[in-house]
Each structure stands twice: as C-alpha cells, then as structure tokens.
Amino acid sequence: MKTSAGQGLSAATPLVTASFPGTHDQASHARALVRDALHEARYDGITRDAELLTSELFTNAVQHSRSGHLGTVTVMIQAGDVVRIEVVDDGSAISCPRVMTQDAVSLGGRGLFLVQSISSRFGMRSDHAATAIWFELVP
C-alpha cells in the first residue's frame, strides 16, 4: 500500500458522489460519472487512468462484497492538488482486499495491482459493514 488514508489531498473540493446498484453492468455508469466529472473540472489528462481504476474497483466490489448481492457501490470524486476517487462497497465477512502477486497465466487478480501501479497513492479502510478503497492521480 502506498499510503494511509489520513495523508494527502490538500485543498480538496468534492466534485460528485453517486451510488449504483451492485451489478456488473453498472461499472460503465461509474466510468461515465468519472469521465464527465473530470472533464467538467478540466482534469482531462488523467481521465483514462481514472476510468480504468474506477472500473477495476467497482468490479471488485461487485465480485467480492455484499454489494454484488442486491447492494450498492458508491463512487466519490474529490479534486484539488490531486484527484481522489473513492469506491465504497457493502463490505464482506469473508474477504479483505489485497494486492495479489502477479504471474503470467492468471486470468484475474489484477485490479488492485493496477491501482497500485498506476495511481500516485492509494489506500483502504474496511470493516464488516463497508470497504472503501481510494486512489489519487496527479493531474
């Protein structure tokens, strides 16, 4: 993990927060939310990375948390010196998010690895009721 949740993001301005049903088809709506918010705030240079990482976290939330069982996934976007996007799911009693060791033949397990590799920083907080994973990108 690159940093803890309490560090970073000076002079942040909330741009948008939206909740989506916890289904795979809603990942495209989360990407559109990110794309539109960042375009409106003139952060176009990081939009593709922000969309990709949001999509990865959204998909993880649907697959690995109670959000995928009639729950919701919330996406929050803040901007300042950096852009921070946080994805919050309904938590899981059986799993905790972690960066997986990568190998050439695995078909999955790359979501948090991509977040770690592409973002300038990321972090998470989790309990049985919710898991929040955030990442920051420098414009």
Side-chain angles (χ1 to χ4, degrees):
M1 188 176 314
K2 293 183 179 182
T3 188
S4 64
Q7 300 173 340
L9 197 65
S10 62
T13 301
L15 295 181
V16 65
T17 298
S19 294
F20 302 91
T23 57
H24 288 285
D25 64 324
Q26 294 297 305
S28 63
H29 297 287
R31 287 191 306 271
L33 175 79
V34 168
R35 180 178 53 250
D36 294 345
L38 295 183
H39 175 71
E40 187 173 318
R42 299 181 184 211
Y43 288 100
D44 293 309
I46 61 167
T47 300
R48 287 185 182 186
D49 286 345
E51 284 183 83
L52 171 65
L53 300 183
T54 300
S55 186
E56 291 293 336
L57 294 180
F58 193 99
T59 300
N60 283 355
V62 172
Q63 278 187 280
H64 302 293
S65 79
R66 287 187 289 271
S67 292
H69 302 280
L70 302 175
T72 60
V73 178
T74 301
V75 177
M76 296 179 283
I77 306 167
Q78 297 178 330
D81 297 337
V82 298
V83 170
R84 179 181 286 194
I85 298 176
E86 184 167 312
V87 177
V88 182
D89 64 42
D90 293 335
S92 173
I94 59 171
S95 67
C96 182
R98 68 184 193 281
V99 178
M100 303 293 288
T101 303
Q102 299 303 301
D103 63 51
V105 296
S106 67
L107 297 176
R110 290 184 172 84
L112 285 179
F113 176 77
L114 287 172
V115 172
Q116 179 183 46
S117 299
I118 295 171
S119 69
S120 58
R121 299 182 334 150
F122 82 103
M124 64 185 81
R125 60 186 183 281
S126 183
D127 59 31
H128 70 282
T131 299
I133 301 178
W134 58 265
F135 63 88
E136 293 178 350
L137 296 169
V138 178

